[in-house]
Amino acid sequence: MVDVGDKPITDRVAVARGHIRIGARAMHAIRTGGVAKGDPLQAARIAGIMAAKRTADLVPLCHPLPLSQVDVGLEAREDGYGIEARVRTTGRTGVEMEALTAVSAAALTIYDMVKAMDRRMVIGEIRLVEKRGGRSGTFKGE
């Protein structure tokens, strides 16, 4: 693990995005409340938040961080859902991995909940789109 003990404590924010492409039958079930396991969108939001909080348990050598905010949003698209996670902390290292993990877990949760209807779903385009704070400053990817 990298020693961050000498780095200054600053406000840090990271935003990540991804996408899950879903077939018409599964999309219809999601949008009409017809998924047997319950609401995949609500479950995905909770899964994303929980995953962000547990990132250090999932990603080797990632520092555990006290998160002050995790927000996971899902946007309906013609071919599925866009997923965005915004994570914030005040600390010595950034929250990029937490944001990326939140998006990944949200997408996987949707996949799990509707896989009986659509095994051809595609999870992709997971990327960091913004990072603020710390020595390296601000990054805007989109």
Side-chain angles (χ1 to χ4, degrees):
M1 222 159 80
V2 174
D3 183 358
V4 297
D6 292 333
K7 292 173 79 175
I9 295 172
T10 61
D11 288 331
R12 294 159 183 273
V13 175
V15 179
R17 290 189 186 131
H19 182 263
I20 183 166
R21 191 170 66 230
I22 303 171
R25 179 175 170 234
M27 284 289 285
H28 179 74
I30 292 169
R31 292 179 178 167
T32 60
V35 177
K37 289 185 175 184
D39 182 353
L41 304 181
Q42 285 298 89
R45 284 184 186 96
I46 297 299
I49 292 167
M50 291 174 65
K53 292 169 56 173
R54 302 295 302 264
T55 298
D57 293 334
L58 301 170
V59 179
L61 307 180
C62 189
H63 291 85
L65 298 174
L67 304 180
S68 54
Q69 178 194 19
V70 180
D71 181 46
V72 176
L74 293 110
E75 178 184 338
R77 296 189 181 160
E78 188 175 322
D79 65 343
Y81 286 89
I83 304 165
E84 179 178 285
R86 177 177 299 274
V87 182
R88 184 168 180 235
T89 192
T90 301
R92 290 186 164 93
T93 189
V95 286
E96 300 92 50
M97 294 309 300
E98 286 74 10
L100 291 162
T101 300
V103 169
S104 300
L108 289 168
T109 298
I110 294 170
Y111 188 99
D112 177 58
M113 292 186 73
V114 298
K115 68 181 181 250
M117 288 176 267
D118 182 5
R119 295 197 188 270
R120 295 178 189 252
M121 287 178 283
V122 176
I123 296 169
E125 300 177 17
I126 297 172
R127 73 244 180 239
L128 181 69
V129 297
E130 182 180 348
K131 170 233 169 288
R132 292 193 316 259
R135 201 176 342 194
S136 62
T138 299
F139 164 80
K140 289 252 187 190
E142 281 188 279

